Amino acid sequence: MPDRLPAPVVDSHTHLDACGAVTAADVAELADRAAAAGVTRMVTVADDLDAARWAARASTWDDRVWAAVAIHPTRTKDFGEAEQSEIERLARQDRVVAVGETGLDYYWDYSPPDAQQEAFRWHIDLAKRIGKPLMIHDRDAHSDVLRILDEEGAPETVVFHCFSGDEDIARRCVDAGYVLSFAGTVTFRNARALQAAAKLVPSGQFLVETDAPFLTPHPFRGRPNEPYCTAYTVHFLADLRSEDLEGVCSAVSQTAERVFRLPSVTSG
């Protein structure tokens, strides 16, 4: 376990079901372990319809957990009206705080690019219609993601989950007012371009996440990840940006509260 952070933070993107959680007791156990490290709240994210239903339910089991629902771009091959109707129903629930993760993934070939782009456009429209932030998955597709956001008109709040771009992409996102969320990948020794990007993002436009159980931060890369590991990434970012650790924690929490409309720490 990492040392407890000096101020609470939010894991803005995790997959509690993929971490092994099934029941309310499982969710509480993961949340308790995270809280011991100072990670007091989290957003559990869906990538398919079953996961979306589970995430929406799980967000009602524990006050420290919220949800985001969408169909992952790699699963959009058969994304039709029935799936759209169910995702919209779930996305409108009170404790579902974002539409995501949606976007484009050109690394895997599970879904054709045309199907991914059509689904991405639909999720953008959904986020705008219901007034919730859009949580983007962008893998090897920076140009198309930014182009489609421009063509469709971005929602008021856009979060690039597990940001993976370089300084140029980061500047374009920052200039557009988007929020960049950094996962354990920013701690990897070979992530020089990503680290340079993380340095230039203004306070108030970045979040931290685990994407657990994937992308465990250095030096535990390759081992199972959990929300408590957010603390390692926060420590790394504070050092990388030459900023006070407590200040980074507070900035991350305030940004998460604004983006996801969470109650402030002082109000519980």
Side-chain angles (χ1 to χ4, degrees):
M1 290 291 294
D3 292 338
R4 184 180 177 87
L5 293 169
V9 299
V10 179
D11 180 354
S12 69
H13 189 115
T14 188
H15 301 271
L16 295 183
D17 54 339
C19 291
V22 176
T23 66
D26 297 333
V27 169
E29 182 179 349
L30 287 164
D32 287 345
R33 194 150 48 239
V39 183
T40 60
R41 294 171 290 179
M42 61 200 68
V43 179
T44 188
V45 181
D47 58 6
D48 64 18
L49 208 51
D50 287 341
R53 294 185 183 109
W54 185 89
R57 289 197 307 272
S59 69
T60 68
W61 295 340
D62 195 300
D63 288 343
R64 298 167 291 184
V65 177
W66 283 265
V69 300
I71 300 297
H72 192 280
T74 60
R75 301 174 185 270
T76 54
K77 183 179 179 181
D78 300 311
F79 185 52
E81 291 183 5
E83 290 80 10
Q84 292 173 2
S85 177
E86 181 69 351
I87 289 296
E88 179 163 348
R89 181 187 72 82
L90 295 167
R92 289 182 178 277
Q93 295 184 12
D94 289 344
R95 292 192 65 83
V96 175
V97 295
V99 175
E101 58 187 288
T102 179
L104 303 174
D105 189 318
Y106 294 165
Y107 180 81
W108 301 106
D109 61 358
Y110 299 131
S111 294
D114 287 350
Q116 293 189 42
Q117 292 185 20
E118 183 178 353
F120 184 31
R121 292 178 191 275
W122 181 86
H123 283 95
I124 292 172
D125 179 67
L126 174 63
K128 291 194 291 188
R129 284 191 288 109
I130 66 175
K132 293 187 178 181
L134 184 75
M135 184 182 285
I136 290 178
H137 173 103
D138 168 19
R139 188 167 187 186
D140 294 351
H142 307 314
S143 295
D144 278 356
V145 166
L146 292 173
R147 173 181 59 81
I148 290 172
L149 284 170
D150 285 342
E151 290 174 355
E152 295 296 315
E156 181 180 353
T157 304
V158 172
V159 177
F160 274 74
H161 134 70
C162 190
F163 181 77
S164 59
D166 58 14
E167 290 178 84
D168 177 62
I169 298 298
R171 286 194 182 94
R172 291 172 65 184
C173 290
V174 167
D175 289 346
Y178 303 151
V179 176
L180 309 185
S181 182
F182 293 95
T185 46
V186 75
T187 72
F188 296 172
R189 290 176 175 175
N190 61 350
R192 300 304 183 197
L194 180 57
Q195 291 164 7
K199 288 182 180 180
L200 66 84
V201 181
S203 179
Q205 276 186 264
F206 77 90
L207 296 167
V208 291
E209 64 173 85
T210 55
D211 199 21
F214 317 104
L215 308 180
T216 310
H218 178 80
F220 308 108
R221 185 177 181 180
R223 301 180 190 179
N225 200 3
E226 278 190 28
Y228 77 82
C229 293
T230 309
Y232 292 117
T233 302
V234 174
H235 276 279
F236 181 87
L237 285 170
D239 289 342
L240 178 71
R241 293 164 60 91
S242 299
E243 294 178 356
D244 173 70
L245 177 60
E246 186 170 359
V248 171
C249 293
S250 297
V252 165
S253 285
Q254 290 168 13
T255 301
E257 289 168 1
R258 172 177 56 83
V259 166
F260 300 121
R261 300 176 186 173
L262 307 182
S264 68
V265 173
T266 55
S267 65

